[in-house]
Amino acid sequence: TVTCQSPDRQAQEMDKLEEAISEEDKIIEDLEKQLAERRQTKLELLAEKQQVSDKPGFVSNVRRKLQTTTTLLQLLKWNTPTVYNGWEQITKNPNYGRECFNLEPIQDHSPEMGPMVGYAVTVKIHPGDVGIVAKHGAIGRKGMWSFMSSLPTDIPKIVVVEDLTKPVIYGSMWGEVNATFFKSVGALGCITDGGVRDLDEMKNVGFHAMSRGLTISHSYGVPPLEWDVPVSAFGVTVRPGQLIHADKHGFIVVPEEDEEKLLEATEFMDLMERKYVITPGREGVGSHPALIAKKMGEVFTEMAKEKKEKYGTFQERFPDFQA
């Protein structure tokens, strides 16, 4: 039996339902606001705890002034060698030709994704030891998952893994399962000086993997041993929360004091190449090679002059440096 309601009665019931739904929306909005405030308070307490314990980690390190989302997106326009060209002009580190970038070969398993730019989440692993798995397996995996879920979701992250058994690759922490989870909690990808596997599955979830090599193994399971501590990967030390730019050529770990001027310097150095040292080759097609070589020498001198006027020479920037 179908009960027909009068139009007035139906309208009244609809109004009541709309009012109830609006009230629930308001309650949910208030609760979400309170939850966001509580999470922010927890992050501040965690950062303070790290400072008091003298063990700075991701949460305390990212309390500094971070680069805006717009700046990070602009950095994504450039490959990592171009970013390096800019960084070497403004860094306060005179050893820039030997530090802060990978010193060992690395494989990018998804170069078609382009560069990735994010802040380092660090972890250490020790594959190949069944005793370690028995002792740290469940604790390590659950602990790392819980740690990742506690980090600010609006900060792009790159997970940097130190494999303590390198250069041997006994097994991988990375495959379809971890890639799917870490992607869901804000990780763009991973840089590991060990191995990875499940390449197609990781690409399928949009997780960008870079590693020393490939493996089929997870070697008894590969639980995290330590996380949120400084690690050494591909010859460079990485601290939690450091800005990283990475692509198929390798990666650079940007010192905090160099972040602010990095984009401007990168764009300037790209302009210098397009303005000066690329043009003789482009314009010289059909000319005698000696003329092209002569022009290269001329424009290189001009570029060096303009670069010096903006940033100074090495000796001017680092007068006390001794090789």
Side-chain angles (χ1 to χ4, degrees):
T1 302
V2 179
T3 302
C4 295
Q5 295 181 335
S6 68
D8 290 343
R9 182 178 178 84
Q10 186 181 43
Q12 290 175 358
E13 290 190 8
M14 288 294 293
D15 289 342
K16 288 181 181 180
L17 289 170
E18 290 292 343
E19 184 178 344
I21 291 171
S22 297
E23 183 65 24
E24 288 301 318
D25 284 339
K26 185 177 183 304
I27 293 172
I28 291 171
E29 183 179 343
D30 290 341
L31 288 173
E32 287 179 340
K33 183 179 179 180
Q34 293 176 33
L35 186 58
E37 291 172 350
R38 289 290 187 179
R39 284 177 173 149
Q40 183 59 37
T41 299
K42 180 183 177 181
L43 288 173
E44 292 172 358
L45 290 171
L46 288 172
E48 186 176 350
K49 178 182 177 182
Q50 290 178 352
Q51 294 289 355
V52 171
S53 65
D54 199 28
K55 295 180 179 179
F58 186 93
V59 173
S60 60
N61 286 344
V62 298
R63 295 182 79 184
R64 68 185 188 275
K65 180 182 177 182
L66 300 181
Q67 299 304 292
T68 65
T69 299
T70 299
T71 296
L72 297 181
L73 289 172
Q74 287 177 287
L75 285 170
L76 280 174
K77 295 189 302 182
W78 309 108
N79 66 16
T80 305
T82 302
V83 174
Y84 175 88
N85 289 349
W87 171 70
E88 67 178 352
Q89 308 306 318
I90 51 92
T91 183
K92 298 175 178 61
N93 178 7
N95 291 310
Y96 62 76
R98 302 169 61 93
E99 298 177 355
C100 299
F101 58 94
N102 61 295
L103 304 180
E104 301 165 0
I106 185 171
Q107 299 180 42
D108 183 350
H109 303 292
S110 297
E112 71 279 2
M113 290 184 178
M116 59 177 171
V117 181
Y119 295 90
V121 173
T122 57
V123 59
K124 295 182 180 182
I125 60 174
H126 192 292
D129 190 323
V130 68
I132 287 178
V133 175
K135 184 176 181 181
H136 298 281
I139 296 174
R141 282 187 285 271
K142 292 179 181 178
M144 184 67 193
W145 294 334
S146 177
F147 169 71
M148 279 297 299
S149 70
S150 74
L151 300 181
T153 56
D154 59 327
I155 298 177
K157 307 167 197 69
I158 298 174
V159 186
V160 183
V161 184
E162 178 180 1
D163 187 331
L164 298 174
T165 64
K166 61 192 170 192
V168 177
I169 301 177
Y170 287 117
S172 173
M173 169 182 167
W174 296 105
E176 181 180 12
V177 173
N178 263 342
T180 302
F181 168 77
F182 278 81
K183 180 69 176 180
S184 73
V185 292
L188 304 173
C190 69
I191 296 173
T192 173
D193 62 358
V196 297
R197 62 182 199 161
D198 294 345
L199 293 183
D200 293 337
E201 289 80 3
M202 287 197 289
K203 288 183 181 184
N204 186 48
V205 296
F207 193 78
H208 196 153
M210 300 174 66
S211 73
R212 183 181 299 275
L214 298 173
T215 180
I216 63 168
S217 168
H218 63 188
S219 187
Y220 311 115
V222 184
L225 295 182
E226 293 182 85
W227 51 89
D228 209 28
V229 296
V231 298
S232 177
F234 298 97
V236 57
T237 298
V238 183
R239 298 188 306 276
Q242 282 196 279
L243 180 64
I244 293 177
H245 192 289
D247 72 3
K248 60 187 177 184
H249 303 92
F251 65 93
I252 179 173
V253 183
V254 183
E256 287 89 340
E257 63 269 19
D258 298 336
E259 292 178 1
E260 186 174 355
K261 297 180 179 179
L262 180 63
L263 176 60
E264 179 190 8
T266 298
E267 293 179 336
F268 177 81
M269 289 307 298
D270 181 76
L271 175 61
M272 289 298 94
E273 289 189 351
R274 297 176 189 274
K275 181 178 179 181
Y276 291 113
V277 293
I278 293 176
T279 54
R282 292 280 189 169
E283 297 174 351
V285 177
S287 301
H288 192 281
L291 295 177
I292 303 175
K294 180 183 178 183
K295 185 63 176 178
M296 279 294 293
E298 293 171 354
V299 297
F300 196 89
T301 300
E302 293 175 22
M303 185 181 75
K305 179 182 178 182
E306 187 167 346
K307 188 172 67 170
K308 176 184 176 182
E309 290 173 352
K310 187 172 181 66
Y311 295 116
T313 65
F314 183 92
Q315 289 73 24
E316 289 169 346
R317 292 167 57 200
F318 308 107
D320 300 324
F321 180 79
Q322 296 182 352

